[in-house]
Amino acid sequence: MKMKTIEFSPKGVCSRKIQISLTEDHIIRDVTFTGGCAGNTSGISKLVVGMKAEDVIDRLKGTTCGLKQTSCPDQLARALESAL
């Protein structure tokens, strides 16, 4: 199965880069955050592996972090949207 790798530069959060591997039918095979809260970004990465990108977008888009208008999960959703 053909794989696609996306590198996304998040805005407004502590993480500096999100790298995502997707199959051609939009199944997430790997997510790696550079920077950010290590436990949270590692946990999110493990939770979304095997999910369809569209389902992850639906669940995570709009998630905020404290007083910020975005979060690492929201930025992951935005990265997936741009990839699709």
Side-chain angles (χ1 to χ4, degrees), residues 6-8 18 20 74-84:
I6 299 100
E7 285 196 9
F8 183 81
I18 304 172
I20 308 161
D74 179 61
Q75 291 294 301
L76 174 58
R78 293 176 192 213
L80 290 168
E81 281 182 322
S82 71
L84 301 180

Side-chain angles (χ1 to χ4, degrees), residues 22 26 28 48 51-63 73-84:
L22 285 174
H26 304 167
I28 298 169
V48 301
M51 291 180 66
K52 287 199 64 87
E54 294 86 349
D55 294 336
V56 173
I57 293 166
D58 289 343
R59 288 185 183 191
L60 298 182
K61 189 173 180 183
T63 302
D74 179 61
Q75 291 294 301
L76 174 58
R78 293 176 192 213
L80 290 168
E81 281 182 322
S82 71
L84 301 180

Side-chain angles (χ1 to χ4, degrees), residues 27-71:
I27 302 296
I28 298 169
R29 291 293 173 218
D30 186 55
V31 176
T32 305
F33 286 83
T34 302
C37 304
N40 290 335
T41 56
S42 175
I44 291 292
S45 298
K46 289 178 181 182
L47 287 171
V48 301
V49 167
M51 291 180 66
K52 287 199 64 87
E54 294 86 349
D55 294 336
V56 173
I57 293 166
D58 289 343
R59 288 185 183 191
L60 298 182
K61 189 173 180 183
T63 302
T64 59
C65 182
L67 298 176
K68 296 178 183 178
Q69 297 296 311
T70 189
S71 65

